[in-house]
Amino acid sequence: MTRTAALSNIAAIDAAHHIHPFSDMKKLNEAGSRVIARGEGSTIIDTNGKRYLDAFAGLWCVNIGYGRTEIADAVRAQMDELPYYNTFFGTTTPPTALLAQKVTAHAGPNINHVFFTNSGSEATDTWFRMARVYWAALGKPEKTHFISRRNGYHGSTVAGASLGGMKYMHEQGSLPIEKIHHIGQPYWYAEGADLTPEEFGVTVARELEAKLDELGAENVAAFVAEPIQGAGGVIVPPSTYWPEIARICKERDILLVADEVICGFGRTGSWFGHQHFGFEPDMAPVAKGLSSGYLPVGGVLVSDRVASVIMQTDFNHGYTYSGHPVCAVAALENLRIIEEEKLVERVRDDIGPYFAKAWHAFTDHDLVGETQAVGLMAGLQMAKDKKTRERFEKPDAIGTWVRNHCVENGLILRATGDRMLASPPLIITEEEVDFMAKTLKAALDAAWKEWK
Ligand code: PXG
């Protein structure tokens, strides 16, 4: 459609009719939306023809990059054959079943089932309900409480926003809902005080133990966290964190849920973030990189422990489009590309280390307090005084300033407060990494002049 419609007034039409997610609409409409018209590889192009290196892969999702006609071809063929059928009343479709097989094949020996959704938020609501059904089926219906982390992100539905630890989301609409409790995040730079990162990792993990003591583990269904906190700022936990969390969940018999919506499908240089950290979740919501964003599809990966119980019950839950055949075909084709082009290995052994070298070079910059990178997922902490870890009074303002400088110069990065985040397509080239580093350096240099 956009090929034939006049593109010049899209921003005006958008301003008149479209409410954007997480946006100050008044400000946005004054400035006017940037209208993205095309994408190829790691580049997006707006309606003025300006090109941007998308070092954020859309919204942490376009893992295989833009413009892969293989997906369009596969989707077209499936549309012709069977555009939709449901999976509710004793039916399935070939792509749905094949995707269930394919996605679980990468998730380790103890994960062999998946429940399909259309998004990460729906995946959150799905595992949330599944956890309570699981414990009720085992004769422990009182296990209904959940523990998650401050500054975590698990989606925008009521359960998702409640489990998430974003204060500005809780402030709207009386959230969190009952029986959801938040503990600290493994954000050493901001909260680790005088502890070493390793000491802090254990200390903050033990907040889970303390919360279980307070609530009674017999009342708690599950703990959920992102292997690496994404929207919260790419907070990579100290090496001691996940082993301690896994120990506590096991000893106290609560389910461990790894939110893989961002970390999944090669982003960390492993298929899943939990594999990078070496622990085994009981359930794992996925979305984003499952289809590289080409069509909306998500799901919950379910371990044998949970599946063996759930499959003895009627789980009264599902979405019209759970297992949608066209979305499943897009995901299957996406996974085929990731496998055949060895993109996970590429992130682990090749472009990931190249990217990490460029990213960590910023530790020497006056404005930079800390850099973290795992695979192609990275956070850069800005600081007023790198020696004392003193932060700027208005963290959002400096983050936005640096981000805008980058965007003006053709680079899309995300800012969370005073952290700059990168999450490029897994096909990003060395030349593009070099461009990213050069453009970010110019922005940091300019910001240091302006803000020091
Ligand atoms: N879990 C995690 C870890 C996520 O990052 C969701 C669940 C929800 O997925 P859906 O598909 O319902 O959006 C997400 C989504 C940001 C940003 O600003 C991040 C997400 C979504 C929107 C914005 O970084 N992540």
Side-chain angles (χ1 to χ4, degrees):
M1 195 187 94
T2 49
R3 289 199 187 110
T4 50
L7 294 178
S8 54
N9 63 346
I10 292 288
I13 295 171
D14 192 81
H17 301 292
H18 179 198
I19 303 172
H20 290 231
F22 286 94
S23 300
D24 178 334
M25 289 310 301
K26 197 163 169 287
K27 261 198 205 151
L28 174 61
N29 288 338
E30 275 161 20
S33 285
R34 206 171 301 117
V35 187
I36 305 305
R38 285 194 301 122
E40 38 187 64
S42 298
T43 298
I44 53 170
I45 301 145
D46 71 16
T47 40
N48 297 319
K50 180 167 170 164
R51 300 170 74 85
Y52 306 82
L53 173 65
D54 182 9
F56 205 60
L59 203 47
W60 319 86
C61 55
V62 188
N63 288 11
I64 60 168
Y66 298 92
R68 306 297 295 244
T69 51
E70 307 95 305
I71 296 208
D73 294 345
V75 160
R76 169 76 217 209
Q78 183 60 42
M79 285 253 182
D80 287 344
E81 206 162 301
L82 180 70
Y84 171 74
Y85 201 71
N86 75 68
T87 52
F88 278 55
F89 309 116
T91 49
T92 190
T93 76
T96 312
L98 292 172
L99 180 60
Q101 178 190 44
K102 173 70 80 189
V103 70
T104 54
H106 288 295
N110 298 322
I111 292 180
N112 293 293
H113 291 85
V114 60
F115 190 106
F116 286 119
T117 68
N118 308 288
S119 67
S121 298
E122 287 178 357
T124 295
D125 282 49
T126 298
W127 72 252
F128 181 91
R129 295 196 64 213
M130 196 182 276
R132 284 181 173 168
V133 172
Y134 168 82
W135 287 116
L138 289 179
K140 298 183 178 176
E142 65 289 350
K143 276 173 91 70
T144 49
H145 288 252
F146 294 86
I147 303 172
S148 58
R149 304 190 303 203
R150 287 192 285 280
N151 201 33
Y153 190 78
H154 303 292
S156 277
T157 48
V158 171
S162 295
L163 287 162
M166 303 298 185
K167 224 169 135 233
Y168 56 89
M169 292 177 81
H170 294 168
E171 278 162 7
Q172 295 181 324
S174 306
L175 300 179
I177 53 172
E178 62 172 9
K179 299 190 176 184
I180 290 179
H181 314 268
H182 296 86
I183 59 170
Q185 55 175 331
Y187 186 4
W188 173 81
Y189 193 89
E191 297 170 12
D194 294 333
L195 299 178
T196 65
E198 287 69 30
E199 288 165 348
F200 178 66
V202 174
T203 303
V204 78
R206 289 198 183 148
E207 287 187 26
L208 175 59
E209 211 156 38
K211 187 56 85 177
L212 288 168
D213 288 341
E214 179 192 323
L215 299 168
E218 68 281 6
N219 297 315
V220 177
F223 170 71
V224 63
E226 301 151 80
I228 296 169
Q229 251 163 317
V234 184
I235 312 293
V236 182
S239 62
T240 48
Y241 181 77
W242 275 113
E244 190 65 5
I245 290 285
R247 174 190 73 75
I248 295 166
C249 291
K250 193 158 180 229
E251 281 179 20
R252 307 300 287 269
D253 198 24
I254 62 165
L255 296 175
L256 172 52
V257 180
D259 186 332
E260 295 280 1
V261 170
I262 285 178
C263 292
F265 307 102
R267 172 82 26 225
T268 66
S270 298
W271 271 92
F272 294 101
H274 66 265
Q275 294 162 344
H276 174 81
F277 289 105
F279 70 94
E280 288 188 6
D282 296 301
M283 290 190 277
V286 295
K288 296 193 190 272
L290 172 56
S291 64
S292 284
Y294 276 65
L295 282 174
V297 52
V300 179
L301 305 180
V302 184
S303 68
D304 295 346
R305 171 189 182 180
V306 175
S308 60
V309 174
I310 290 297
M311 286 164 71
Q312 306 301 317
T313 69
D314 236 356
F315 181 36
N316 298 320
H317 182 85
Y319 307 100
T320 301
Y321 302 128
S322 284
H324 193 293
V326 179
C327 299
V329 156
L332 274 169
E333 194 60 14
N334 171 60
L335 296 180
R336 184 192 64 72
I337 290 170
I338 295 177
E339 285 171 6
E340 286 186 12
E341 297 182 8
K342 298 200 180 330
L343 294 182
V344 180
E345 295 82 347
R346 179 171 194 267
V347 174
R348 189 188 61 208
D349 303 330
D350 180 6
I351 196 69
Y354 188 89
F355 172 92
K357 196 166 166 224
W359 195 258
H360 290 311
F362 286 113
T363 34
D364 294 334
H365 197 284
D366 291 326
L367 181 58
V368 176
E370 176 193 61
T371 54
Q372 294 189 306
V374 175
L376 285 180
M377 188 172 177
L380 178 152
Q381 175 73 54
M382 292 181 281
K384 195 169 174 185
D385 183 337
K386 61 196 292 165
K387 286 198 198 75
T388 61
R389 301 194 340 235
E390 186 192 344
R391 317 264 293 272
F392 288 94
E393 284 101 69
K394 291 187 181 158
D396 288 339
I398 187 157
T400 305
W401 197 96
V402 172
R403 196 223 21 230
N404 289 347
H405 196 286
C406 291
V407 172
E408 270 163 38
N409 290 288
L411 171 68
I412 309 282
L413 286 177
R414 166 134 155 60
T416 289
D418 53 5
R419 283 175 81 84
M420 300 307 300
L421 319 182
S423 160
L426 312 188
I427 51 132
I428 191 171
T429 64
E430 292 187 357
E431 293 70 36
E432 286 168 338
V433 171
D434 294 347
F435 172 79
M436 177 200 75
K438 195 180 89 189
T439 311
L440 178 56
K441 180 170 183 318
L444 294 172
D445 288 349
W448 181 243
K449 265 200 203 137
E450 179 92 8
W451 291 75
K452 73 174 174 193

